[in-house]
């Protein structure tokens, strides 16, 4: 008689049948998961360090923005080197560099001044700019194309889970031990553990570019590959505009409206957590759901971001705001999974890291601009106009991007027969 419970043998069979049954992917996924938790702990520790040093709101923004500035500056450089060298080696070097940099903050016998903290945060961000393109490009060499969707979905699950667990761990360490160094120590440890996972990973041999090839030439090849894939170029440009014109204003106005209307920061914190939890559910959904036109479905699901400005425009209760973030997280994450899978499937492997780095740079280059412009816009036209503008911008960008050839299928359209 069977009980319906999964026996240990049955669990092992299911694990072996999943992408986690592939040893090399399991090591890569473990490294990515651990390092992502560290990435989420770091902003909490950096924020407390600035406040401990008596820093102002402007100085806090400077320190936190240093990480994104580094990603923008070094993303393309990281992509070139990840195509030149073994990707595993690039990731391991990035882990060592970040562990050493954060380790400095963990052992300093004094609270670092703001300028030193900003410099170290910039260095940590530069390491991330090398790690992420190499990670994206390494994955398709470890798994067959038919399993990439499931692998990217699991990576999204770990990322969204880390977005909930990481800040919680950072806050617990800072509040429980009253020592921000403990948070920095945990962050450095996560990079060291990631390094150890990657040390055991065996990357398949591949032909890499000779380092005597001019750097600028390789950079142009990466940009040229994006231009040759109109579906990729359209999606990258469209996503960057959505980040600047839609998501950035929402991120600025959520904590402001939440505190003003409900007298607490809990609405802000809970909304962010629910977005990540919705993302976990969306990534799990993407493992099974594989539409024939993933680009069209993904962009249409992205229209759910309009729920957030609607809820913020009429903040009669926290519940519509919380529901909007949960639904949006659920709807958005399949797009991320399908997009990563499409890049790994359609872009030649010797240029994949460079194309991925273009995606990263474009995304983060415009986001800070949107954050900076939201305040002045609100002063001139008011909150409701800005929130209404995000809805109009989202709709217009979606319509225009879906008109780009190949976006609906996330691949170049087949040439027409004469």
């Amino acid at each position: 008689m069977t009980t319906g419970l999964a026996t240990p043998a049955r669990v092992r069979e299911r694990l072996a049948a999943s992408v986690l049954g592939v040893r090399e992917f399991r090591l890569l996924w473990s490294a990515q998961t651990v390092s992502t938790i560290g990435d989420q702990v770091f902003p909490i520790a950096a924020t407390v360090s600035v406040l401990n040093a008596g820093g102002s709101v402007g100085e806090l923004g400077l320190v936190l923005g240093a990480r994104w500035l580094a990603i923008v500056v070094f993303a393309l450089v990281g992509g070139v080197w990840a195509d030149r060298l073994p990707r595993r080696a690039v990731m391991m070097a990035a882990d060592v560099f970040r562990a050493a940099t954060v380790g400095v903050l963990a052992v300093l016998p004094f609270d670092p001044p703001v300028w030193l903290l900003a410099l170290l945060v910039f260095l940590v961000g530069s390491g991330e700019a090398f790690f992420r393109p190499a990670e994206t490009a390494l994955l398709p060499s470890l798994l067959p194309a038919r399993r990439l969707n499931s692998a990217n979905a699991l990576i999204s699950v770990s990322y969204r889970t880390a977005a909930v667990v990481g800040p919680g761990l950072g806050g617990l360490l800072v509040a429980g031990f009253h020592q921000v160094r403990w948070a920095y120590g945990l962050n450095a440890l996560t990079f060291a553990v990631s390094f150890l996972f990657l040390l055991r990973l065996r990357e398949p041999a591949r032909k890499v570019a000779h380092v005597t090839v001019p750097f600028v030439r390789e950079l142009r090849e990466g940009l040229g590959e994006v231009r040759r894939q109109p579906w990729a170029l359209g999606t990258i440009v469209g996503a960057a505009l959505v980040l600047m014109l839609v998501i950035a204003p929402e991120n600025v106005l959520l904590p402001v409206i939440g505190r003003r209307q409900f007298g607490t920061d809990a609405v802000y914190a809970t909304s962010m957590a629910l977005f990540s939890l919705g993302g976990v559910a969306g990534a799990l959904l993407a493992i099974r759901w594989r539409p024939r036109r993933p680009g069209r479905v993904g962009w249409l699901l992205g229209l759910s971001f309009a729920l957030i400005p609607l809820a913020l425009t009429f903040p009669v209760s926290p519940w519509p705001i919380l529901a909007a973030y949960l639904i949006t997280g659920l709807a958005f994450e399949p797009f991320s999974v399908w997009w990563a899978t499409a890049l790994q499937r359609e872009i030649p492997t010797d240029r994949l890291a460079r194309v991925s780095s273009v995606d990263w740079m474009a995304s983060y280059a415009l986001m800070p601009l949107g954050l900076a412009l939201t305040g002045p816009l609100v002063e001139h036209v008011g909150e409701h106009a800005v929130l209404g503008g995000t809805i109009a911008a989202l709709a217009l960008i979606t319509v225009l991007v879906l008109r780009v050839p190949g976006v609906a299928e996330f691949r170049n359209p087949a040439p027409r027969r004469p």
Side-chain angles (χ1 to χ4, degrees):
M1 182 179 70
T2 60
T3 62
L5 297 176
T7 64
R10 190 173 300 174
V11 170
R12 286 194 295 270
E13 289 176 3
R14 291 176 180 175
L15 178 62
S18 74
V19 289
L20 288 175
V22 180
R23 177 184 180 274
E24 309 311 318
F25 171 74
R26 189 166 63 247
L27 291 170
L28 175 64
W29 179 75
S30 300
Q32 179 267 342
T33 300
V34 173
S35 68
T36 302
I37 291 175
D39 290 337
Q40 299 296 327
V41 170
F42 187 70
I44 303 297
T47 298
V48 174
S49 290
V50 173
L51 298 178
N52 287 348
S56 65
V57 173
E59 288 172 324
L60 176 59
L62 173 66
V63 170
L64 296 180
R67 177 187 179 189
W68 307 117
L69 175 63
I71 291 175
V72 172
V73 171
F74 288 107
L76 294 180
V77 179
V80 169
W81 281 104
D83 280 337
R84 281 185 169 188
L85 302 174
R87 276 90 186 235
R88 167 179 168 270
V90 173
M91 295 170 68
M92 291 171 64
D95 275 338
V96 170
F97 180 76
R98 291 187 291 175
T101 304
V102 179
V104 170
L105 289 167
V107 300
L108 278 178
F110 55 87
D111 289 331
V114 172
W115 69 266
L116 177 59
L117 186 61
L119 173 61
L120 293 173
V121 169
F122 181 85
L123 293 177
V124 172
S126 66
E128 187 175 358
F130 281 79
F131 186 95
R132 298 302 174 186
E135 176 196 12
T136 300
L138 176 60
L139 181 58
S141 69
L142 306 180
L143 293 168
R146 61 185 174 81
R147 308 192 78 177
L148 289 176
N149 197 78
S150 297
N152 284 309
L154 280 177
I155 289 174
S156 290
V157 168
S158 65
Y159 180 84
R160 293 301 175 189
T161 303
V164 177
V165 173
L169 280 176
L172 181 63
L173 288 170
V174 171
F177 293 94
H178 303 286
Q179 286 287 338
V180 71
R181 291 183 184 86
W182 285 87
Y184 286 129
L186 174 64
N187 193 187
L189 179 62
T190 61
F191 294 137
V193 172
S194 173
F195 172 87
L196 293 176
F197 278 123
L198 293 170
L199 188 63
R200 299 176 57 203
L201 187 151
R202 295 188 295 267
E203 179 180 358
R206 66 180 178 90
K207 184 178 180 180
V208 297
H210 198 276
V211 294
T212 57
V213 176
F215 179 89
V216 174
R217 175 182 167 185
E218 290 191 75
L219 189 60
R220 288 175 178 170
E221 287 178 353
L223 296 171
E225 186 62 38
V226 175
R227 289 194 296 270
R228 278 189 291 273
Q229 308 277 354
W231 63 273
L233 178 60
T235 300
I236 289 172
V237 172
L241 291 174
V242 169
L243 281 165
M244 180 179 71
L245 299 176
V246 180
I247 297 177
E250 292 174 353
N251 284 353
V252 171
L253 292 175
L254 169 64
V256 173
I257 294 173
R259 175 178 286 193
R260 184 184 67 220
Q261 296 296 126
F262 309 113
T264 177
D265 294 323
V267 174
Y268 168 59
T270 306
S271 295
M272 294 294 97
L274 287 174
F275 183 86
S276 294
L277 289 175
V280 171
L284 292 173
L285 175 64
I287 294 177
R288 297 283 185 182
W289 186 22
R290 303 182 186 184
R292 192 163 59 94
R293 292 185 172 88
R296 175 178 296 173
V297 175
W299 274 99
L300 292 178
L301 287 174
L303 290 173
S304 62
F305 275 102
L307 296 174
I308 295 174
L310 281 174
L312 293 175
T313 301
F314 307 102
V316 294
S317 165
W319 295 109
I321 299 174
L322 299 179
Y325 273 90
L326 178 65
I327 294 170
T328 301
L330 172 64
F332 168 74
E333 204 61 32
F335 174 93
S336 299
V337 173
W338 299 330
W339 167 247
T341 302
L343 286 180
Q344 293 158 353
R345 183 192 64 228
E346 298 295 322
I347 305 299
T349 184
D350 62 324
R351 299 182 180 184
L352 179 54
R354 280 170 283 177
V355 172
S356 176
S357 68
V358 172
D359 181 26
W360 268 68
M361 186 203 68
S363 298
Y364 289 115
L366 295 184
M367 180 74 166
L369 180 60
L371 293 170
L373 290 177
T374 298
L377 277 175
V378 169
E379 290 181 2
H380 282 83
V381 301
E383 284 181 2
H384 286 189
V386 170
L387 290 169
T390 65
I391 297 174
L394 177 63
L396 178 61
I397 293 168
T398 300
V399 169
L400 293 178
V401 170
L402 286 176
R403 292 177 63 86
V404 176
V407 164
E409 295 80 15
F410 273 168
R411 66 173 72 228
N412 278 343
R416 294 181 179 179
R417 294 180 179 180

